[in-house]
Amino acid sequence: MLKKFFMCTLAMMLTFSLLLTGCSEKEKQPATNVEEPGTDNDNAKGDSTESEGELDFVKLTYYFANSPVEDLKRINDLANKTIKEKINAEVEYKLLDWSQYAQKLNLMISSGEPFDMAFCGSWGEMNYFQNAASGAFLPLDDLLDKYAPVSKSRVPDQIWDGVKVNGNIYGVVNYQVWGMANARGIQLRQDLVDEFGFDWKAIKKWEDITPYLAKVKEKYPDMVGMEYARDVDNFAGLPTIYGMDAVGDTKLVGWVKVGEDKVNVINQYKTDEYKEYLKVFRDWYQKGYIKKDAATQKDISADRKANRVAAIYANAIPDMVDMPELSTFTMMSMSPDKKSYTRRFTEPFISASAPSATVITIGANSKNPERAMKYIELVNTDDFLFNTLTWGEEHVDYERISDKQIKVLDDAPYKFNYNEWQMGQSYGRYWWDQNADVEMREKSLGIVYEYDKTAQASPVIGFVFNSEPVKTEIANCNTVLDKYLSALGSGTVDPDEVLPKFLKELDKAGAEKIIAEKQKQIDEWLKANGR
């Protein structure tokens, strides 16, 4: 759902992409043979599969989200041949539609339904931090050290700090090809921009694309002008566009402003930035630039694949001002044949939520947590397994062009919808498809990884909010957010009428208590770290 669902997301999102958006998350751009960050992998591997022949056979489950994937069972069976050979286990890949995933995950957690592994993130409604704090997932520190040394060593220490809750790691970071720094912006259909003569390079904020959306509506009234998806609200899911960063799960009240001398926690829904956002999106909705059912739409993939979307949020780093050559091959997310222009609104930034955008968790009630961690290490180190899940079976779903590139067959029965960011760490391992200009991709990645070194970082990166003292207030606020956020954020309702009701109900639910608790914990964390 997302990337370069992300994610996050999750990477997502995660973005998701998360995100995964997928997140449109930063375009799901496969990696080249890049040096892994933070370690020499050959020295880090160790022997995490010691005495595998003595292990009893077990079956594991892995829950993840995607649009429908045909022939998944064939690929599941093919993957299990490698998994059984290496760690004497089989994994059942349990795909849930994006529209149902967060709800199903939270239902499994609340009911105590057993699961071994599940994709999670701090965006949308997956609530990584809250669920980890509530005991839904196992702490993974010892398991990582013992069974997944490569997976751990590949990720910088400060990134692991970003997925800790009460001092413990609860999610294995799917360190992705697109790095950690991000820059938020927009992706526009190249053919439409050229047709209208629209000056995409001048875009600096949402309202700057209004003339483009007006032309789309005039010439192609059945198209979706601006995409809105419930899981990635264009305000609540994108704090850096508005000069802010989230503390904990992204939509929850209590963001901080970036660039201020003191770290102050605020209610982001009471800011002028939110009021201006609602004004713009309400105007777009009333003029038909946003789908009428946007507030309830969760799965955006059908519109994207049918080339019905003219503008998509993008994690645009680098954008086409940074690197004009990108215009020769950058496609609209999930669209097979429509090129795009990307323009970022923000400078590169590493948000506090970036590490938790795309993680794999192990359920607290898993009967085989050690084997689950062995599997995570396997999928992160066995390129054949990872690429089987991502691309399918050679000669059936794809053909190899070179050691860096493949050709996806036109009649390939297995298509994974570029959701590799949910399956493991893609950094330095993911193949390019036949549409990629490998030289340009490598140059693009070089820019991304330089941004990882130089980008401004969140003032609260490494801080993890302990939600336990206000868990009742969080649950109450989440109920209010579910009631109002998408209706407001999509422009479906009049903000002059509904925003005051939304804010009043948030206050009644305990928003100010949550903000005060976040401020208290941040002040203590800053003092403890000498900041």
Side-chain angles (χ1 to χ4, degrees):
M1 243 329 17
L2 332 325
K3 135 166 149 267
K4 320 174 189 136
F5 138 109
F6 326 168
M7 39 20 290
C8 41
T9 185
L10 140 86
M12 217 79 22
M13 176 238 6
L14 357 246
T15 339
F16 202 130
S17 6
L18 338 3
L19 177 220
L20 193 146
T21 75
C23 62
S24 158
E25 332 87 274
K26 200 180 301 181
E27 277 302 303
K28 306 299 188 292
Q29 295 178 352
T32 57
N33 296 332
V34 182
E35 181 72 17
E36 306 285 4
T39 185
D40 178 345
N41 277 344
D42 290 337
N43 294 329
K45 288 184 179 179
D47 187 7
S48 62
T49 57
E50 182 177 341
S51 302
E52 300 298 0
E54 302 173 8
L55 294 172
D56 292 334
F57 173 74
V58 300
K59 290 188 176 182
L60 305 170
T61 55
Y62 179 53
Y63 285 85
F64 67 101
N66 205 328
S67 302
V69 175
E70 294 183 12
D71 237 7
L72 178 59
K73 186 180 184 305
R74 170 173 62 89
I75 300 305
N76 197 150
D77 292 343
L78 182 60
N80 274 332
K81 292 180 180 179
T82 298
I83 298 167
K84 190 172 191 303
E85 176 187 348
K86 297 293 180 68
I87 62 170
N88 201 24
E90 290 182 353
V91 176
E92 182 180 0
Y93 296 99
K94 300 181 81 69
L95 182 155
L96 297 173
D97 192 87
W98 272 115
S99 62
Q100 305 170 0
Y101 185 72
Q103 181 182 12
K104 173 62 176 177
L105 176 64
N106 290 317
L107 181 61
M108 288 194 300
I109 289 169
S110 63
S111 67
E113 181 181 340
F115 65 90
D116 293 302
M117 297 168 287
F119 172 78
C120 197
S122 57
W123 49 277
E125 299 173 350
M126 291 182 287
N127 302 330
Y128 166 74
F129 289 111
Q130 294 174 38
N131 282 324
S134 72
F137 312 132
L138 280 180
L140 303 179
D141 305 72
D142 292 341
L143 291 170
L144 272 165
D145 288 337
K146 186 172 183 179
Y147 299 114
V150 177
S151 298
K152 186 175 184 183
S153 63
R154 186 179 281 147
V155 180
D157 289 342
Q158 65 267 28
I159 301 304
W160 287 115
D161 289 341
V163 296
K164 287 182 178 179
V165 177
N166 299 327
N168 292 314
I169 295 168
Y170 286 88
V172 181
V173 178
N174 285 349
Y175 199 56
Q176 297 299 324
V177 62
W178 59 91
M180 283 291 166
N182 60 59
R184 309 302 191 184
I186 196 75
Q187 187 179 44
L188 306 177
R189 276 247 315 246
Q190 191 176 128
D191 58 334
L192 300 179
V193 169
D194 292 344
E195 178 184 347
F196 305 148
F198 179 66
D199 184 8
W200 62 273
K201 293 181 181 179
I203 299 172
K204 295 181 179 179
K205 53 189 183 300
W206 290 120
E207 48 265 52
D208 290 342
I209 70 169
T210 301
Y212 168 77
L213 297 178
K215 280 291 187 181
V216 171
K217 184 65 176 177
E218 176 188 344
K219 297 290 291 292
Y220 305 100
D222 293 333
M223 285 193 68
V224 178
M226 178 66 202
E227 178 182 271
Y228 178 90
R230 180 182 174 88
D231 283 341
V232 188
D233 181 88
N234 289 325
F235 180 87
L238 308 173
T240 55
I241 284 183
Y242 312 97
M244 293 179 264
D245 197 18
V247 178
D249 292 309
T250 308
K251 70 176 181 178
L252 186 64
V253 293
W255 288 1
V256 296
K257 288 205 170 184
V258 175
E260 296 189 341
D261 293 336
K262 190 177 185 302
V263 181
N264 290 311
V265 183
I266 62 173
N267 184 340
Q268 66 270 26
Y269 302 114
K270 292 184 177 181
T271 62
D272 290 339
E273 289 86 351
Y274 188 50
K275 291 177 183 177
E276 183 60 28
Y277 164 81
L278 294 181
K279 179 182 177 181
V280 171
F281 273 68
R282 176 61 174 169
D283 177 60
W284 289 355
Y285 183 86
Q286 289 181 307
K287 291 176 177 175
Y289 304 163
I290 296 173
K291 287 184 72 172
K292 290 299 182 185
D293 64 348
T296 57
Q297 183 179 17
K298 290 187 177 182
D299 184 6
I300 45 76
S301 61
D303 286 332
R304 291 188 181 190
K305 291 177 180 178
N307 295 322
R308 287 195 294 263
V309 184
I312 300 172
Y313 143 75
N315 193 0
I317 180 172
D319 70 2
M320 291 177 187
V321 173
D322 296 325
M323 187 178 167
E325 308 97 298
L326 289 172
S327 63
T328 63
F329 64 79
T330 302
M331 313 301 288
M332 290 292 286
S333 180
M334 296 187 186
S335 295
D337 58 357
K338 295 297 180 183
K339 293 181 180 179
S340 72
Y341 291 118
T342 57
R343 183 71 173 111
R344 56 184 171 91
F345 302 161
T346 67
E347 292 300 311
F349 180 76
I350 300 178
S351 68
S353 62
S356 57
T358 58
V359 298
I360 297 177
T361 61
I362 296 179
N365 50 12
S366 170
K367 295 180 180 178
N368 297 288
E370 295 87 0
R371 202 73 61 89
M373 185 60 77
K374 284 177 178 284
Y375 163 76
I376 293 171
E377 177 79 337
L378 180 64
V379 78
N380 285 341
T381 56
D382 189 303
D383 290 350
F384 175 80
L385 175 59
F386 178 77
N387 285 308
T388 295
L389 295 170
T390 300
W391 293 110
E393 186 176 359
E394 188 172 9
H395 307 308
V396 178
D397 304 298
Y398 69 87
E399 298 287 356
R400 293 299 299 270
I401 298 174
S402 69
D403 60 343
K404 296 180 180 180
Q405 198 167 25
I406 65 168
K407 174 179 172 56
V408 178
L409 300 180
D410 292 337
D411 57 351
Y414 181 78
K415 290 183 173 64
F416 202 63
N417 303 317
Y418 298 94
N419 272 239
E420 79 292 335
W421 43 279
Q422 294 187 68
M423 307 311 287
Q425 297 173 342
S426 66
Y427 191 105
R429 311 171 62 214
Y430 189 49
W431 292 332
W432 307 100
D433 66 26
Q434 69 270 24
N435 297 313
D437 181 320
V438 175
E439 182 179 352
M440 289 296 102
R441 297 287 191 182
E442 289 179 338
K443 181 178 178 180
S444 173
L445 288 176
I447 293 174
V448 170
Y449 301 140
E450 282 303 310
Y451 282 146
D452 270 0
K453 299 173 186 176
T454 61
Q456 181 183 13
S458 168
V460 290
I461 196 166
F463 169 77
V464 179
F465 175 53
N466 175 14
S467 60
E468 186 64 23
V470 286
K471 62 182 182 182
T472 299
E473 288 77 11
I474 289 174
N476 292 338
C477 282
N478 279 336
T479 299
V480 177
L481 290 164
D482 288 343
K483 178 179 178 182
Y484 287 104
L485 190 60
S486 295
L488 280 164
S490 63
T492 303
V493 297
D494 182 357
D496 291 337
E497 177 184 345
V498 178
L499 179 59
K501 297 178 182 178
F502 173 46
L503 297 178
K504 183 178 180 179
E505 291 192 32
L506 278 178
D507 285 341
K508 185 178 179 180
E512 292 304 318
K513 187 175 180 180
I514 295 171
I515 289 168
E517 182 63 30
K518 287 185 176 184
Q519 187 71 64
K520 172 178 172 288
Q521 292 184 27
I522 287 174
D523 290 344
E524 292 172 350
W525 173 75
L526 290 169
K527 183 178 180 180
N529 288 275
R531 300 189 186 184

